[in-house]
Amino acid sequence: MRRADRLFQIVQYLRGGRLVTAAQLAEKLEVTPRTIYRDVADLIGSGVPIEGEAGVGYVMRDGYDLPPLMFSSDEIVALVAGARMIRAWGGTSMAAAAEEALVKINAVLPEAARSRAEEVQVHALALHDMTDELRDRIDRVEAAANSHTSLHIAYEDETGSASSRSVRPLGLWFWGRVWTMVCWCELREDFRMFRLDRIQALSEGDVFRPRPGQTLRDFYRLEAYKRRS
């Protein structure tokens, strides 16, 4: 771990007003207590409001925050790669937000970190079936899941059979080429997953209140149980 990353982690561990010893920090960061003593001394010297002493422990006063976007090299790679993937395969609003995020990241990172972001060789190309209509549908389903708004959909399955459903959208899953909506289906009174590219029409309905046994957490719990069975 780079020293800059270690200093950042020390500050994170000291958040919340808890007393943390040098031995505890050394164990978490896989260094010696002597290294922690030096690092804490340097942080205090740079103005970080840490109180305490060796052998007793350290605590940081509330209200201190680090400058934004102090990311490690690996975190920069993850952020840039993730933003590029959403720009290629996400909804219209998602893609625009990802593009803006990349601009902001490059604008505020220090020079060395900015160079690392520009050197990330992870790219994503939009597939021909990522139509504007599908991108808009992704945004609408995500917004409905976030606001707990029911949806009425006209759906066509893999055999070409058409059906109309009223659903409570719970979330979106991306499978590399296909987006699916996880939802509670009012018709089946059970969880269902619908491919967004097979939805023929979609309209928003009423706001719903999450019910016990019908939430995304319940869906995950049920899926985990099925895998264990």
Side-chain angles (χ1 to χ4, degrees):
M1 178 184 293
R2 296 181 309 165
R3 186 167 186 271
D5 296 336
R6 188 172 67 247
L7 294 175
F8 177 83
Q9 290 299 325
I10 289 174
V11 173
Q12 299 308 305
Y13 285 128
L14 291 176
R15 288 187 184 281
R18 299 184 305 272
L19 185 71
V20 183
T21 66
Q24 290 172 325
L25 291 171
E27 182 179 359
K28 290 178 180 294
L29 299 172
E30 299 180 348
V31 295
T32 65
R34 185 179 298 275
T35 298
I36 297 298
Y37 297 150
R38 289 198 300 265
D39 288 344
V40 170
D42 289 343
L43 286 169
I44 294 173
S46 66
V48 179
I50 297 173
E51 298 174 348
E53 59 183 294
V56 177
Y58 301 101
V59 65
M60 187 171 65
R61 294 195 300 271
D62 290 335
Y64 178 76
D65 206 350
L66 288 170
L69 296 179
M70 290 185 62
F71 298 122
S72 70
S73 178
D74 288 343
E75 289 168 342
I76 289 172
V77 173
L79 286 169
V80 173
R84 288 175 180 172
M85 291 177 184
I86 288 297
R87 184 175 59 184
W89 300 324
T92 303
S93 297
M94 290 182 191
E99 180 67 33
E100 183 64 23
L102 287 171
V103 172
K104 288 182 178 179
I105 289 172
N106 281 326
V108 300
L109 285 174
E111 184 176 352
R114 188 183 309 121
S115 297
R116 180 66 184 98
E118 293 171 351
E119 293 168 357
V120 174
Q121 297 303 320
V122 179
H123 304 279
L125 300 177
L127 303 173
H128 68 278
D129 46 1
M130 282 301 301
T131 63
D132 291 341
E133 182 181 11
L134 178 56
R135 287 184 181 276
D136 176 66
R137 194 172 299 148
I138 293 169
D139 285 335
R140 291 176 65 184
V141 172
E142 189 280 327
N146 182 64
S147 62
H148 299 150
T149 300
S150 61
L151 296 173
H152 306 296
I153 64 172
Y155 192 74
E156 186 176 289
D157 65 18
E158 66 274 10
T159 67
S161 299
S163 63
S164 296
R165 306 290 183 96
S166 292
V167 302
R168 298 181 174 196
L170 304 176
L172 286 166
W173 282 11
F174 182 58
W175 301 85
R177 288 181 62 95
V178 173
W179 285 89
T180 59
M181 169 177 58
V182 182
C183 61
W184 178 265
C185 179
E186 301 288 5
L187 176 65
R188 302 302 183 188
E189 296 185 345
D190 200 355
F191 295 108
R192 287 292 186 270
M193 297 181 71
F194 295 101
R195 282 179 52 158
L196 266 59
D197 58 339
R198 291 178 179 162
I199 294 177
Q200 306 302 304
L202 178 152
S203 62
E204 286 78 10
D206 298 328
V207 173
F208 65 88
R209 179 173 296 178
R211 298 175 182 173
Q214 300 178 10
T215 67
L216 190 60
R217 180 174 296 178
D218 296 315
F219 172 79
Y220 288 145
R221 187 180 298 116
L222 180 61
E223 290 298 303
Y225 174 77
K226 290 178 180 178
R227 288 194 295 269
R228 292 195 301 269
S229 299

